[in-house]
Protein backbone atom coordinates (compact mmCIF):
# COMPACT_ATOMS: atom_id res chain seq x y z
CA UNK A 1 0.00 0.00 0.00
CA UNK A 2 1.44 3.38 -0.95
CA UNK A 3 0.27 6.39 1.04
CA UNK A 4 0.59 10.07 0.21
CA UNK A 5 3.66 11.67 1.78
CA UNK A 6 3.49 13.94 4.82
CA UNK A 7 -0.03 13.15 6.03
CA UNK A 8 -0.26 13.66 9.80
CA UNK A 9 -1.72 11.11 12.19
CA UNK A 10 -5.08 12.89 12.12
CA UNK A 11 -5.52 14.10 8.53
CA UNK A 12 -7.52 17.05 7.29
CA UNK A 13 -10.60 15.99 5.26
CA UNK A 14 -8.93 16.29 1.83
CA UNK A 15 -5.84 14.50 3.14
CA UNK A 16 -8.12 11.75 4.42
CA UNK A 17 -9.70 11.51 0.95
CA UNK A 18 -6.27 11.03 -0.60
CA UNK A 19 -5.24 8.51 2.01
CA UNK A 20 -8.33 6.36 1.42
CA UNK A 21 -8.10 6.73 -2.37
CA UNK A 22 -4.47 5.64 -2.26
CA UNK A 23 -5.54 2.46 -0.49
CA UNK A 24 -8.02 1.60 -3.26
CA UNK A 25 -5.92 2.46 -6.34
CA UNK A 26 -3.09 0.55 -8.00
CA UNK A 27 -0.59 1.55 -10.66
CA UNK A 28 -2.19 1.11 -14.09
CA UNK A 29 -5.73 1.85 -12.89
CA UNK A 30 -8.20 4.23 -14.49
CA UNK A 31 -9.59 6.90 -12.15
CA UNK A 32 -11.77 10.01 -12.47
CA UNK A 33 -11.33 13.56 -11.22
CA UNK A 34 -14.89 14.89 -11.49
CA UNK A 35 -13.95 18.50 -10.67
CA UNK A 36 -10.51 19.35 -12.08
CA UNK A 37 -10.17 22.91 -10.78
CA UNK A 38 -6.48 23.77 -10.64
CA UNK A 39 -5.45 20.13 -10.98
CA UNK A 40 -4.03 19.45 -7.52
CA UNK A 41 -6.19 16.36 -7.07
CA UNK A 42 -5.61 15.27 -10.68
CA UNK A 43 -1.85 15.47 -10.12
CA UNK A 44 -2.18 13.29 -7.03
CA UNK A 45 -4.26 10.78 -9.02
CA UNK A 46 -1.93 10.80 -12.03
CA UNK A 47 1.07 9.99 -9.83
CA UNK A 48 -0.90 7.27 -8.10
CA UNK A 49 -1.91 5.42 -11.29
CA UNK A 50 1.44 5.94 -13.04
CA UNK A 51 2.12 6.06 -16.76
CA UNK A 52 0.26 2.81 -17.43
CA UNK A 53 -2.88 4.26 -15.83
CA UNK A 54 -5.13 7.16 -16.74
CA UNK A 55 -6.93 10.06 -15.07
CA UNK A 56 -10.14 11.09 -16.80
CA UNK A 57 -11.06 14.61 -15.72
CA UNK A 58 -14.03 16.95 -16.01
CA UNK A 59 -14.63 20.65 -15.43
CA UNK A 60 -17.10 23.09 -16.89
CA UNK A 61 -14.51 25.88 -17.08
CA UNK A 62 -11.84 25.91 -19.80
CA UNK A 63 -9.55 27.87 -17.46
CA UNK A 64 -9.68 24.91 -15.04
CA UNK A 65 -9.01 22.32 -17.73
CA UNK A 66 -6.04 24.39 -18.95
CA UNK A 67 -4.71 24.90 -15.43
CA UNK A 68 -4.99 21.21 -14.57
CA UNK A 69 -3.42 20.15 -17.88
CA UNK A 70 -0.52 22.55 -17.30
CA UNK A 71 0.03 21.26 -13.78
CA UNK A 72 0.35 17.67 -14.98
CA UNK A 73 2.48 18.64 -17.97
CA UNK A 74 4.81 20.57 -15.64
CA UNK A 75 5.34 17.32 -13.76
CA UNK A 76 6.12 15.47 -16.97
CA UNK A 77 2.84 13.52 -16.88
CA UNK A 78 0.67 12.79 -19.89
CA UNK A 79 -1.50 9.99 -18.51
CA UNK A 80 -4.69 12.02 -18.58
CA UNK A 81 -7.73 12.79 -20.70
CA UNK A 82 -9.51 15.95 -19.64
CA UNK A 83 -12.94 17.12 -20.80
CA UNK A 84 -14.28 20.65 -20.66
CA UNK A 85 -17.69 19.32 -19.82
CA UNK A 86 -19.90 18.91 -16.76
CA UNK A 87 -19.40 15.78 -14.68
CA UNK A 88 -23.08 14.99 -15.21
CA UNK A 89 -21.86 13.68 -18.60
CA UNK A 90 -19.46 11.11 -17.12
CA UNK A 91 -21.58 8.21 -18.35
CA UNK A 92 -21.33 9.44 -21.95
CA UNK A 93 -17.55 9.85 -21.82
CA UNK A 94 -16.37 6.90 -19.74
CA UNK A 95 -17.05 3.26 -20.50
CA UNK A 96 -14.23 1.65 -18.49
CA UNK A 97 -14.51 0.56 -14.86
CA UNK A 98 -12.63 2.83 -12.48
CA UNK A 99 -11.10 2.25 -9.08
CA UNK A 100 -11.62 5.76 -7.70
CA UNK A 101 -13.48 9.00 -8.32
CA UNK A 102 -12.70 12.30 -6.61
CA UNK A 103 -15.25 15.10 -6.31
CA UNK A 104 -14.07 18.41 -4.84
CA UNK A 105 -17.22 20.50 -5.00
CA UNK A 106 -17.76 24.25 -4.97
CA UNK A 107 -15.93 26.92 -6.95
CA UNK A 108 -12.54 27.42 -8.55
CA UNK A 109 -10.62 29.49 -5.96
CA UNK A 110 -8.78 31.66 -8.49
CA UNK A 111 -11.80 32.38 -10.72
CA UNK A 112 -15.44 33.52 -10.65
CA UNK A 113 -16.76 32.26 -7.31
CA UNK A 114 -20.33 32.36 -8.57
CA UNK A 115 -19.57 29.38 -10.84
CA UNK A 116 -20.22 26.55 -8.42
CA UNK A 117 -21.13 22.90 -8.65
CA UNK A 118 -24.87 22.31 -8.29
CA UNK A 119 -26.89 19.79 -6.32
CA UNK A 120 -28.81 18.38 -9.30
CA UNK A 121 -25.81 17.78 -11.57
CA UNK A 122 -23.61 16.61 -8.70
CA UNK A 123 -26.12 13.88 -7.81
CA UNK A 124 -26.38 12.76 -11.46
CA UNK A 125 -22.58 12.56 -11.63
CA UNK A 126 -22.34 10.75 -8.32
CA UNK A 127 -24.77 8.05 -9.44
CA UNK A 128 -22.86 7.65 -12.74
CA UNK A 129 -19.59 7.38 -10.83
CA UNK A 130 -21.09 4.72 -8.56
CA UNK A 131 -22.10 2.70 -11.63
CA UNK A 132 -18.58 2.87 -13.08
CA UNK A 133 -16.82 2.00 -9.82
CA UNK A 134 -15.18 -1.42 -9.41
CA UNK A 135 -15.91 -3.46 -6.29
CA UNK A 136 -13.68 -2.17 -3.43
CA UNK A 137 -13.28 1.11 -5.30
CA UNK A 138 -13.61 4.44 -3.47
CA UNK A 139 -15.40 7.71 -4.23
CA UNK A 140 -14.45 10.81 -2.26
CA UNK A 141 -16.68 13.89 -2.15
CA UNK A 142 -15.40 17.09 -0.52
CA UNK A 143 -18.50 19.10 0.42
CA UNK A 144 -18.44 22.82 1.25
CA UNK A 145 -21.60 23.95 3.06
CA UNK A 146 -19.98 27.28 4.03
CA UNK A 147 -20.39 29.18 0.75
CA UNK A 148 -23.60 30.48 -0.80
CA UNK A 149 -25.30 27.62 -2.63
CA UNK A 150 -22.94 25.09 -1.08
CA UNK A 151 -25.08 24.18 1.90
CA UNK A 152 -27.98 22.84 -0.17
CA UNK A 153 -25.61 20.75 -2.29
CA UNK A 154 -23.59 19.44 0.64
CA UNK A 155 -26.66 18.29 2.55
CA UNK A 156 -28.22 16.78 -0.58
CA UNK A 157 -25.09 14.65 -1.00
CA UNK A 158 -25.20 13.74 2.67
CA UNK A 159 -28.87 12.76 2.47
CA UNK A 160 -28.38 10.73 -0.72
CA UNK A 161 -25.42 8.79 0.67
CA UNK A 162 -27.08 8.22 4.03
CA UNK A 163 -29.78 6.16 2.27
CA UNK A 164 -27.44 3.81 0.41
CA UNK A 165 -27.92 0.09 1.01
CA UNK A 166 -25.37 -0.91 3.65
CA UNK A 167 -24.73 -4.30 2.09
CA UNK A 168 -23.70 -2.58 -1.15
CA UNK A 169 -21.98 0.57 0.07
CA UNK A 170 -19.84 1.67 2.99
CA UNK A 171 -20.57 5.38 3.43
CA UNK A 172 -18.51 7.49 5.85
CA UNK A 173 -18.55 11.16 6.83
CA UNK A 174 -15.42 12.89 8.15
CA UNK A 175 -14.69 16.47 9.16
CA UNK A 176 -13.68 18.88 11.91
CA UNK A 177 -16.12 19.43 14.75
CA UNK A 178 -14.31 22.54 16.00
CA UNK A 179 -13.73 24.59 12.84
CA UNK A 180 -15.71 27.82 12.27
CA UNK A 181 -18.25 28.80 9.59
CA UNK A 182 -19.97 25.58 8.66
CA UNK A 183 -16.75 23.76 7.74
CA UNK A 184 -16.12 21.45 4.82
CA UNK A 185 -16.71 17.77 5.29
CA UNK A 186 -15.74 14.67 3.41
CA UNK A 187 -17.95 11.80 2.33
CA UNK A 188 -16.30 8.56 1.33
CA UNK A 189 -18.07 5.69 -0.42
CA UNK A 190 -16.67 2.23 -0.91
CA UNK A 191 -18.39 -0.32 -3.12
CA UNK A 192 -18.73 -3.63 -1.28
C1 LIG B 1 -12.98 23.25 -5.55
S1 LIG B 1 -12.73 23.29 -7.29
C2 LIG B 1 -11.90 21.76 -7.58
C3 LIG B 1 -10.50 21.70 -7.03
C4 LIG B 1 -9.61 20.76 -7.79
N1 LIG B 1 -10.01 19.37 -7.68
C5 LIG B 1 -8.15 20.94 -7.52
O1 LIG B 1 -7.46 19.97 -7.18
O2 LIG B 1 -7.66 22.07 -7.66
C6 LIG B 1 -14.33 22.94 -7.94
C7 LIG B 1 -14.37 22.88 -9.46
O3 LIG B 1 -15.61 22.28 -9.85
C8 LIG B 1 -15.93 22.79 -11.11
N2 LIG B 1 -17.32 22.47 -11.46
C9 LIG B 1 -18.45 23.12 -11.13
N3 LIG B 1 -19.52 22.50 -11.66
C10 LIG B 1 -19.04 21.42 -12.34
C11 LIG B 1 -19.65 20.38 -13.10
N4 LIG B 1 -20.96 20.32 -13.29
N5 LIG B 1 -18.84 19.45 -13.65
C12 LIG B 1 -17.50 19.50 -13.49
N6 LIG B 1 -16.87 20.46 -12.78
C13 LIG B 1 -17.64 21.41 -12.22
C14 LIG B 1 -15.61 24.26 -10.98
O4 LIG B 1 -15.47 24.87 -12.25
C15 LIG B 1 -14.30 24.21 -10.17
O5 LIG B 1 -13.19 24.28 -11.01
Amino acid sequence: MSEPDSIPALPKPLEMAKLCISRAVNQGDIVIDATLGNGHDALFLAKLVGDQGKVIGFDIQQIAVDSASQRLANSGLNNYEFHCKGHQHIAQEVDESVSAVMFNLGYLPSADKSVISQKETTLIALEAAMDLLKPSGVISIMCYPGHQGGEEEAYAVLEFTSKLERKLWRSVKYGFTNAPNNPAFLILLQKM
Side-chain angles (χ1 to χ4, degrees), residues 60-136:
I60 49 172
Q61 300 190 74
Q62 188 64 50
I63 189 177
V65 174
D66 292 345
S67 170
S69 303
Q70 192 62 55
R71 187 173 302 281
L72 270 65
N74 288 347
S75 293
L77 295 163
N78 59 6
N79 56 343
Y80 61 90
E81 170 192 311
F82 291 166
H83 301 272
C84 187
K85 197 174 250 200
H87 45 214
Q88 60 273 28
H89 303 293
I90 284 178
Q92 287 93 66
E93 297 296 337
V94 186
D95 52 16
E96 304 108 317
S97 298
V98 301
S99 53
V101 185
M102 290 186 82
F103 287 82
N104 198 337
L105 302 175
Y107 55 81
L108 183 61
S110 50
D112 181 351
K113 293 185 174 55
S114 69
V115 180
I116 57 171
S117 53
Q118 305 283 341
K119 168 179 101 168
E120 292 79 11
T121 41
T122 297
L123 290 178
I124 291 169
L126 180 54
E127 289 195 68
M130 291 164 70
D131 287 343
L132 291 167
L133 197 68
K134 290 179 182 172
S136 300

Side-chain angles (χ1 to χ4, degrees), residues 13 103-106 122 140-147 150 153-155 157-158 182-187:
F103 287 82
N104 198 337
L105 302 175
T122 297
S140 66
I141 313 144
M142 276 302 308
C143 300
Y144 299 92
H147 67 259
E153 178 186 44
Y155 289 105
V157 171
L158 186 57
N182 214 354
F185 59 84
L186 170 68
I187 294 183

